Amino acid sequence: MYPGRFEYQAPAALGEAFATLDRYGDEAKVLAGGQSLIPLMKLRFASPRLLVDINRVPGLDGLAEEEGELRIGALVRHKDCERSSLLGGRWGVLGDAAPQISDPIVRNLGTVAGSLAHADPQGDWGSALMAVDARVVARGSEGSREIAVEDLFEGPFTTTLEPNEVITEVRVPDPGPQAGGTYLKLERKVGDFATAAVAVHVSFSNGTVRRAGIALTGVGPRNLRARAAEEALAGATLDDEAIGEAARLAAEAAEPRDDLRGSAEYKRNVVRVFVERGLRKAREV
Ligand SMILES: Cc1cc2nc3c(=O)[nH]c(=O)nc-3n(C[C@H](O)[C@H](O)[C@H](O)COP(=O)(O)OP(=O)(O)OC[C@H]3O[C@@H](n4cnc5c(N)ncnc54)[C@H](O)[C@@H]3O)c2cc1C
């Protein structure tokens, strides 16, 4: 199907984008990689009056470590993350998630920020970035604010962003020198959305867990954080018993539903097994 009629603007500066978004309010949509928005428009699930294409705005494509913090600009594509050496090691959960997103065509165009703004409960970045305590920088004509990724998602495909706000950057805090983790995803075939997936990120201090981040994909109305599991691990030695208990708590936090990809019970068990595997990998650092 073809999309409905729409106007198109490609501003060369953020200020111009903000002014247009102020004028059109929720009748306008930001266009980044177009990998979610364009299919929605073709299906007529979305019919914005105006697309504000931010691809010509300079300075939004930076992927760098600054003062220990990882900064991912709004035009950083999935493929940039897949190829960046920055996303290994202590940010291994991000490096492991990137190549598991869809296929190379989608990864060439789709952006990390666009994925967060789209708020698909099956989006992989939502969980991976929640596990590392990332925040987004949301900017508009009235200024800028930071929103924890966890607080960005309200429900399926809805966020706490205002219609006139643009995510300009994602910021990932420094986890310290001893940190590791991974992203484990079960998909029916390569390129599919997750049947269930798990992001695990652990930082250590003096041999015990300083902070654990565990987030779940595809098993709830939004990416879910397994808080009880994280809290059970804080200060603990990451031994088999602690891992087993955290995996059990994470499975309890999942809110899966039966669907074509599998039964709720099956998905909950995948979460348990993946959290166990993820934590075992994290303790190898
Ligand atoms: C066939 C296929 C398979 C896919 N498989 C997966 C998968 O396995 N895992 C996965 O996680 N994703 C998957 N995706 C989604 C893909 O990752 C998209 O790239 C991503 O969800 C959206 O990023 P985008 O840059 O393309 O955003 P767009 O499509 O341009 O925009 C998506 C939404 O975000 C808003 N938006 C975009 N950028 C900003 C911004 N900077 N500030 C504010 N709002 C913004 C837009 O207005 C729109 O509402 C798949 C997509 C396709 C087509």
Side-chain angles (χ1 to χ4, degrees), residues 146-225:
E146 289 196 9
I147 311 169
V149 169
E150 193 180 352
D151 299 329
L152 181 70
F153 302 130
E154 264 186 345
F157 307 101
T158 43
T159 68
T160 52
L161 283 176
E162 296 297 332
N164 62 353
E165 282 182 317
V166 177
I167 297 176
T168 53
E169 191 171 68
V170 182
R171 294 186 175 170
V172 185
D174 182 358
Q178 213 196 345
T182 190
Y183 190 75
L184 296 167
K185 174 172 174 178
L186 178 72
E187 49 193 7
R188 290 176 304 176
K189 60 184 173 62
V190 172
D192 193 15
F193 284 95
T195 300
V198 157
V200 173
H201 180 73
V202 183
S203 59
F204 298 90
S205 144
N206 299 323
T208 58
V209 174
R210 187 165 66 87
R211 184 200 158 273
I214 300 176
L216 318 177
T217 309
V219 288
R222 36 168 279 168
N223 298 96
L224 296 175
R225 191 150 188 173

Side-chain angles (χ1 to χ4, degrees), residues 193-269:
F193 284 95
T195 300
V198 157
V200 173
H201 180 73
V202 183
S203 59
F204 298 90
S205 144
N206 299 323
T208 58
V209 174
R210 187 165 66 87
R211 184 200 158 273
I214 300 176
L216 318 177
T217 309
V219 288
R222 36 168 279 168
N223 298 96
L224 296 175
R225 191 150 188 173
R227 276 272 177 220
E230 292 176 353
E231 283 163 14
L233 288 171
T237 304
L238 200 52
D239 56 19
D240 288 350
E241 197 184 328
I243 288 177
E245 177 62 3
R248 187 189 67 74
L249 289 168
E252 229 172 71
E255 302 169 24
R257 290 169 60 165
D258 298 340
D259 64 15
L260 284 174
R261 289 186 169 87
S263 69
E265 192 191 349
Y266 171 64
K267 293 179 194 176
R268 198 184 289 284
N269 199 42

Side-chain angles (χ1 to χ4, degrees), residues 59-165:
L60 295 180
D61 58 355
L63 175 60
E65 189 180 337
E66 283 174 37
E67 295 162 13
E69 190 173 70
L70 181 69
R71 304 221 167 147
I72 307 171
L75 291 177
V76 170
R77 319 281 164 181
H78 309 315
K79 69 139 196 281
D80 301 322
C81 296
E82 187 181 355
R83 293 174 192 170
S84 169
S85 57
L86 273 179
L87 272 66
R90 60 205 184 116
W91 285 311
V93 59
L94 305 180
D96 286 354
Q100 298 190 64
I101 293 170
S102 190
D103 53 41
I105 300 167
V106 171
R107 292 202 294 275
N108 273 337
L109 286 167
T111 64
V112 177
S115 188
L116 295 178
H118 185 55
D120 187 334
Q122 283 174 308
D124 296 298
W125 283 122
S127 294
L129 286 160
M130 230 185 240
V132 293
D133 262 344
R135 291 122 41 221
V136 300
V137 179
R139 283 181 62 189
S141 56
E142 285 154 24
S144 134
R145 62 185 176 128
E146 289 196 9
I147 311 169
V149 169
E150 193 180 352
D151 299 329
L152 181 70
F153 302 130
E154 264 186 345
F157 307 101
T158 43
T159 68
T160 52
L161 283 176
E162 296 297 332
N164 62 353
E165 282 182 317

